Amino acid sequence: MIFKVFKKQELARLHELLAVNIIVGPVTKGNDRNGKPLYDFDVVYDFNELALDYTQTVHSPKRFVLPYQETLSTFAVNRNDWEKHVDFNVYRPLVFFGMHACDINALNKLDLVLAQSTYPNPYYMGKRKNLFIIGIDCKPEPQCFCRSMGTDSAIHGFDLFLTDLGGKYFAEILTATAFDLLSQINCKDPSAKDLGLYKQATNGKNKHYTATVETSDLTKILDLEFESPAWDAWGEKCLSCGTCANVCPTCYCYGVEEHVDLDLQHARKTKSLHSCNLIDFAKVAGGHNFRPTSASRLKYRYYHKHRGFVEAFEESLCVGCGRCGTACLADIAPPEVIASVRGKE
């Protein structure tokens, strides 16, 4: 990895160089009922639209590589012949300008399933391989427990990562593309003072973590507490609305539907993201539902994140961003759920 520093004024120039592509970054979308700004990722056309000092976005940037709904293929009948058209829906390179480490790590986890598994997803891979990612440091919010999940820093999965040193940025360069890009702006090698400021910024960030999850033996605890009454207690609160999956940066479950026109001349196949908390998620032909209660669905969501995925890939699927707990209408958050299963609450 190569390190550089550059003045903050140079960031606008960096944006200008990348503006030939589609740029997605954090923008202000409004305010909540307490007057606190609400941020989300959206297409950015002007550097001044970027809110790089954002706390956390309501949704993750996942939807730009894993859309909530996507047409996989279309079919058309022409006389005695028929045509099939497959479109991976990738038209131009995409630049993520200002992703936090947890969201970068979320994409890395999605890669394990959708890009590096036995059956990779070409629709995801097409978008993922056309990404240029600029990460930026953050100040942890009260709901963030990413440090417990080991995702508070990113060591791969990005091109360039920036840390605010006051009047300048400390840049971690991971790819040749990023190195060539920085050669077009005024930057220099970090001095001993810059390295000291970087360490100071990192240590200062670590002091802001308040939410924690004990993960050392979590897979064993989940095996032991499969029948814990804690699941029923949380299940009674759960509304089975699927909001948690909607804001989660790593949920990837989906369903596929085929739509045939009444004239039988056209058809399309679409994929829609699903949520394991929805009542029909485990419903099969014949009407049987393998997870008929909200408690069973909530439990299996946690087992997938913290047990099944760990067994398959030796790491949790959760990145500790805390979005699910913030968005949940029933105030269900992973730190509290896991603590209760451990018997601490």
Side-chain angles (χ1 to χ4, degrees):
M1 189 178 293
I2 299 174
F3 305 111
K4 296 288 184 180
V5 293
F6 59 86
K7 293 182 179 180
K8 284 188 172 180
Q9 298 92 311
E10 294 295 316
L11 198 60
R13 171 60 179 161
L14 194 63
H15 176 275
E16 182 182 348
L17 292 171
L18 290 166
V20 294
N21 307 295
I22 299 174
I23 296 181
V24 172
V27 297
T28 305
K29 287 293 187 177
N31 298 290
D32 63 14
R33 57 188 172 184
N34 299 316
K36 186 178 179 181
L38 293 172
Y39 304 99
D40 215 343
F41 283 97
D42 206 346
V43 177
V44 175
Y45 300 98
D46 189 325
F47 176 74
N48 294 319
E49 295 179 45
L50 288 168
L52 295 177
D53 58 346
Y54 73 106
T55 50
Q56 186 181 75
T57 55
V58 176
H59 300 91
S60 79
K62 176 186 70 176
R63 66 185 176 94
F64 292 95
V65 292
L66 196 63
Y68 293 121
Q69 190 172 69
E70 185 174 23
T71 298
L72 303 180
S73 56
T74 57
F75 305 84
V77 177
N78 185 11
R79 294 182 181 178
N80 296 324
D81 198 7
W82 66 281
E83 297 178 353
K84 176 182 178 180
H85 177 68
V86 177
D87 189 343
F88 292 154
N89 306 311
V90 183
Y91 311 112
R92 291 173 62 187
L94 187 68
V95 176
F96 278 133
F97 206 108
M99 286 180 68
H100 287 167
C102 60
D103 284 330
I104 293 173
N105 282 303
L107 287 179
N108 292 337
K109 292 177 185 293
L110 289 177
D111 287 348
L112 296 175
V113 179
L114 302 176
Q116 301 170 17
S117 63
T118 305
Y119 304 103
N121 185 318
Y123 297 88
Y124 173 85
M125 290 181 64
K127 299 176 185 64
R128 186 70 167 101
K129 289 182 177 295
N130 278 277
L131 289 183
F132 183 88
I133 297 177
I134 299 178
I136 196 164
D137 67 327
C138 64
K139 181 179 179 181
E141 290 286 283
Q143 73 274 12
C144 298
F145 57 99
C146 53
R147 194 178 190 193
S148 296
M149 308 310 299
T151 56
D152 54 318
S153 62
I155 59 174
H156 65 96
F158 60 89
D159 296 88
L160 184 66
F161 197 94
L162 307 177
T163 300
D164 191 339
L165 300 185
K168 62 180 75 172
Y169 283 112
F170 184 92
E172 302 170 50
I173 305 170
L174 202 59
T175 65
T177 304
F179 183 84
D180 292 340
L181 192 66
L182 283 189
S183 67
Q184 300 179 59
I185 68 172
N186 293 321
C187 62
K188 60 181 181 179
D189 295 331
S191 64
K193 182 180 179 181
D194 294 327
L195 295 177
L197 289 173
Y198 173 76
K199 294 176 184 177
Q200 184 179 340
T202 302
N203 293 332
K205 172 184 174 180
N206 293 337
K207 296 176 182 178
H208 287 91
Y209 287 105
T210 56
T212 59
V213 170
E214 191 176 341
T215 61
S216 57
D217 57 351
L218 184 55
T219 55
K220 295 180 182 178
I221 294 296
L222 290 175
D223 280 343
L224 292 170
E225 300 295 338
F226 188 80
E227 300 295 340
S228 170
W231 299 117
D232 294 323
W234 288 107
E236 290 180 3
K237 295 185 63 177
C238 180
L239 302 176
S240 298
C241 63
T243 299
C244 49
N246 183 51
V247 300
C248 177
T250 61
C251 279
Y252 57 84
C253 291
Y254 64 89
V256 176
E257 294 183 345
E258 293 182 346
H259 308 268
V260 181
D261 291 355
L262 292 176
D263 61 3
L264 304 182
Q265 299 300 301
H266 301 87
R268 70 185 187 279
K269 183 178 290 186
T270 60
K271 181 187 74 174
S272 301
L273 291 189
H274 212 328
S275 169
C276 57
N277 280 120
L278 297 181
I279 192 170
D280 64 339
F281 182 81
K283 193 173 183 179
V284 296
H288 181 71
N289 195 334
F290 284 94
R291 300 176 193 169
T293 66
S294 59
S296 64
R297 294 190 295 273
L298 181 144
K299 175 169 69 174
Y300 274 99
R301 174 178 168 80
Y302 276 81
Y303 271 76
H304 178 214
K305 297 280 189 184
H306 301 281
R307 177 64 181 89
F309 200 84
V310 175
E311 184 177 22
F313 300 106
E314 299 185 348
E315 60 181 77
S316 173
L317 185 58
C318 176
V319 295
C321 67
R323 286 187 178 97
C324 57
T326 301
C328 181
L329 299 174
D331 294 325
I332 300 174
E336 288 76 18
V337 173
I338 293 173
S340 67
V341 173
R342 285 183 174 275
K344 292 187 176 181
E345 292 183 2

